[in-house]
Amino acid sequence: MRRYIADPILASRAVMLQVVWFKRDLRIADHAPLARAAAAGPVLPIYIVEPTLWQQPDASGRHWAFIRESLIELRAALANLGQPLVIRRGEAVAVFEALRTKRGAFALWSHQETGNDWSYGRDLAVGAWAREQGIAWTEIAQQGVIRRLGSREGWARRWDQMMSADCAEAPVSLRSLDVDPGPMPPQQLPWLAPDDCPGRQRGGRSEAQRTLHSFLTERGGHYHRELSSPLTAAESCSRLSPHLAWGTLSIRETAQAAVTQLRMLDAEPIDRQASWKRALRAFIARLHWHCHFIQKLESEPRLEFTNTHPAYDGLRENEFDEARFAAWCEGRTGLPFVDACMKSLIATGWINFRMRAMLCAVASYHLWLHWPQPALHLARLFTDYEPGIHYPQMQMHSGVTGINTIRIYNPVKQGLDHDPDGIFIRRWLPELEKVPAVLIHTPWRMDERQQAETGVRLGRDYPLPIVDPIEAAREARDRVWAVRDGAEFDRQAEVIQQRHGSRKAGLPPTTRPRKKVAQAQLGLAFEDPADDPPDNPANGRA
């Protein structure tokens, strides 16, 4: 918890206005700032539509659409308590200063936020303003992320303690204030391009609760077996990720609901218990990884922009191919499973974790694209965009952390493994509808007769591959592994491991022979005896 107080005595005087600043926490349940502010005095709940925030390169219309739906429900929930949500447009410091000028000093409450670099700078500016004006600003942690963390030792235990703590109770009522709540902003903000996403999940607390309930009681029984394939993941995964990202659910109430459901399974028939218990334990573990990744960006904000391990600086930056990047962004690489995944993501705002990892790997290895630009493109597409998870995972899948294994997904093999009959491919690439299963993953192998029979003219109806996936992977592997040669690389990797490594999963020592490390090292979040790491949707993407 961080507190900016110019004069502690001033903050303890007569009851004053308590301003609760909602950001990525669009709910009243388990909302500690709201609960504590309501106990201290009259509450003014506020959400600020910040123009500069929505002009950032990681912002998109689908993000705003989800938030707006959530704001409508949040305003109604607060109105039911007695004081509706106040919405203002402008930069945060200017909005708060206008409020102070009109109503005098107030206490400011919010949750801590691990956002992007812009939001970090915004919070620093608000903190400086608060100190200058004698405004007490109390920030309270809402996830298992620890500000100014000195060491990762004991981090998992502290996460467990926070998740086990009682959820903050919503106020019974709020005093009505004579403040114009302001209009609900329009569906299309002026700073954002149109963003049609017909399959996007809807925002709002009620939708979050329905999604959580259906996962824990109906959809989630085969979660651990069905989260890898895009054919089954959309139904079997929790689909809670956007609600966790924008805070219509807290991670604590989600974890506690899962634990409660797990305990209730003891009363179920034995044949139902086994699958459900394994599924829920896997889900709870992934909630842990949710915060594990956000902690990385909280501890080292530069990870939004620069390689974790500096030895990789300059590896790809000067070879960025704009044509390849555009083909990847638009789903026209000529690699059907890759293109189908991208088309699905564009249309729905979500795809399962393994496919996210594959999209990142293909961009970074096969197409040799430096990760920041692909990261921004995916950030705009993911309805569940969470900066603290997004950037560390982009680096992990791009092989620039120095402590994770180089995992180059074969896009053809991934398709054969997870969409063997090409059902998913045909759904999102209808131009390949008539291509038989034996060729659906490698249509470039069709001869002229087969092209005529299927109505697919390669290079016209569907592109030829922009790279040879086998040769491109081989070249990328050699180039990336070559960087890891030398004692200095190992020394810096050990520093990174000490700062960001999970003490729960661990890593083989960096001093082990490289060939053995390459075989054994499965990465911070992926300690598993299988050939591939378990899908690890750290953002609740499971």
Side-chain angles (χ1 to χ4, degrees):
M1 183 169 64
R2 180 171 62 186
R3 225 174 148 78
Y4 299 105
I5 305 178
D7 183 354
I9 298 177
L10 178 65
S12 64
R13 287 178 181 170
V15 173
M16 64 175 64
L17 184 66
Q18 310 293 309
V19 176
V20 179
W21 182 16
F22 287 86
K23 295 189 278 183
R24 297 178 74 106
D25 50 359
L26 306 180
R27 63 183 186 275
I28 63 173
D30 195 26
H31 197 293
L34 176 62
R36 291 179 57 179
V43 170
L44 180 71
I46 189 168
Y47 181 86
I48 305 173
V49 181
E50 301 164 277
T52 309
L53 170 63
W54 292 104
Q55 295 174 53
Q56 296 306 301
D58 55 354
S60 70
R62 63 191 62 189
H63 299 160
W64 169 246
F66 189 95
I67 290 171
R68 185 177 184 275
E69 291 160 357
S70 303
L71 289 174
I72 291 172
E73 283 202 30
L74 177 61
R75 171 172 275 185
L78 288 164
N80 286 338
L81 296 179
Q83 171 56 50
L85 179 69
V86 172
I87 298 179
R88 294 291 184 263
R89 178 186 294 195
E91 304 306 331
V93 169
V95 169
F96 289 137
E97 175 58 22
L99 180 63
R100 186 195 67 83
T101 300
K102 185 173 184 179
R103 302 189 71 98
F106 57 84
L108 180 61
W109 300 81
S110 74
H111 276 123
Q112 292 177 358
E113 180 181 4
T114 302
N116 60 11
D117 182 69
W118 182 90
S119 68
Y120 177 68
R122 181 269 319 274
D123 283 355
L124 290 178
V126 171
W129 168 85
R131 289 191 297 273
E132 181 179 336
Q133 301 301 329
I135 299 292
W137 179 17
T138 303
E139 293 184 274
I140 303 173
Q142 70 165 331
Q143 310 198 60
V145 177
I146 302 168
R147 185 159 284 176
R148 291 183 288 275
L149 179 67
S151 169
R152 274 283 185 150
E153 297 297 334
W155 184 90
R157 181 178 65 256
R158 294 169 71 176
W159 186 90
D160 290 336
Q161 291 170 347
M162 181 172 182
M163 293 305 111
S164 299
D166 291 340
C167 291
E169 294 187 7
V172 175
S173 64
L174 296 175
R175 185 188 308 177
S176 178
L177 301 174
D178 183 21
V179 177
D180 178 12
M184 183 61 60
Q187 293 183 353
Q188 179 66 50
L189 290 181
W191 315 287
L192 294 171
D195 183 15
D196 184 30
C197 186
R200 175 185 60 80
Q201 289 179 253
R202 288 188 60 81
R205 173 71 177 182
S206 60
E207 188 63 28
Q209 290 176 305
R210 282 193 294 270
T211 304
L212 176 62
H213 178 76
S214 69
F215 173 69
L216 294 180
T217 63
E218 301 168 12
R219 298 183 291 107
H222 301 293
Y223 164 72
H224 53 294
R225 294 200 299 267
E226 297 184 347
L227 58 86
S228 293
S229 171
L231 290 172
T232 54
E235 180 68 16
S236 295
C237 288
S238 78
R239 304 306 302 273
L240 293 170
S241 51
H243 297 289
L244 293 173
W246 302 108
T248 53
L249 278 176
S250 77
I251 192 168
R252 175 163 48 202
E253 62 180 329
T254 303
Q256 291 185 7
V259 170
T260 298
Q261 189 66 20
L262 182 62
R263 291 171 178 164
M264 291 173 61
L265 287 171
D266 289 336
E268 297 286 338
I270 296 297
D271 58 346
R272 174 177 164 84
Q273 282 189 35
S275 180
W276 270 99
K277 283 187 174 182
R278 187 173 178 189
L280 293 180
R281 285 171 181 147
F283 174 69
I284 293 167
R286 282 155 175 79
L287 294 178
H288 169 101
W289 290 114
H290 169 109
C291 299
H292 166 76
F293 275 93
I294 298 177
Q295 185 68 61
K296 293 173 185 279
L297 191 65
E298 173 67 32
S299 297
E300 197 164 8
R302 73 173 184 88
L303 299 183
E304 182 179 346
F305 306 107
T306 60
N307 296 328
T308 305
H309 199 303
Y312 290 103
D313 292 351
L315 182 65
R316 297 184 178 99
E317 289 91 320
N318 298 324
E319 301 180 44
F320 198 89
D321 189 314
E322 293 290 350
R324 288 184 177 185
F325 178 53
W328 178 81
C329 290
E330 297 166 15
R332 51 180 181 83
T333 66
L335 302 170
F337 197 50
V338 173
D339 293 343
C341 287
M342 185 62 79
K343 295 279 190 180
S344 174
L345 176 57
I346 291 169
T348 69
W350 183 90
I351 199 164
N352 60 316
F353 177 80
R354 182 176 289 266
M355 300 306 101
R356 297 182 188 217
M358 183 192 69
L359 287 173
C360 297
V362 168
S364 297
Y365 298 116
H366 300 81
L367 306 184
W368 204 244
L369 301 172
H370 188 39
W371 60 268
Q373 283 299 101
L376 287 174
H377 178 70
L378 292 177
R380 292 187 292 268
L381 293 182
F382 291 154
T383 307
D384 55 16
Y385 168 54
E386 173 67 72
I389 294 169
H390 185 63
Y391 293 105
Q393 287 198 348
M394 280 297 305
Q395 295 210 35
M396 182 174 72
H397 297 313
S398 299
V400 295
T401 67
I403 58 175
N404 298 100
T405 195
I406 306 303
R407 185 164 298 282
I408 303 177
Y409 288 83
N410 182 328
V412 176
K413 180 182 182 299
Q414 289 296 308
L416 290 168
D417 288 346
H418 302 296
D419 185 28
D421 298 319
I423 296 171
F424 182 78
I425 290 175
R426 292 187 184 89
R427 182 184 305 162
W428 295 104
L429 301 176
E431 61 269 34
L432 300 182
E433 182 179 3
K434 296 182 180 179
V435 177
V438 70
L439 291 168
I440 192 70
H441 296 282
T442 55
W444 57 87
R445 294 178 178 171
M446 291 193 297
D447 57 29
E448 291 185 3
R449 177 184 60 80
Q450 291 168 320
Q451 292 183 48
E453 290 174 349
T454 59
V456 178
R457 295 164 297 177
L458 293 173
R460 297 181 63 181
D461 300 310
Y462 185 71
L464 289 162
I466 58 177
V467 294
D468 179 325
I470 302 301
E471 184 57 35
R474 182 181 299 114
E475 181 180 349
R477 182 179 292 107
D478 291 344
R479 295 180 71 177
V480 174
W481 273 106
V483 175
R484 295 194 170 204
D485 187 28
E488 178 58 21
F489 181 96
D490 289 346
R491 186 192 67 77
Q492 294 188 45
E494 185 60 31
V495 173
I496 295 167
Q497 161 65 10
Q498 288 300 315
R499 184 164 195 171
H500 296 300
S502 166
R503 302 304 187 264
K504 198 167 187 177
L507 275 175
T510 56
T511 54
R512 288 174 58 182
R514 279 183 178 75
K515 288 185 179 179
K516 291 184 179 180
V517 171
Q519 295 296 320
Q521 189 181 51
L522 294 176
L524 293 178
F526 301 139
E527 183 114 6
D528 190 83
D531 290 337
D532 281 329
D535 293 299
N536 178 33
N539 194 25
R541 291 174 183 147

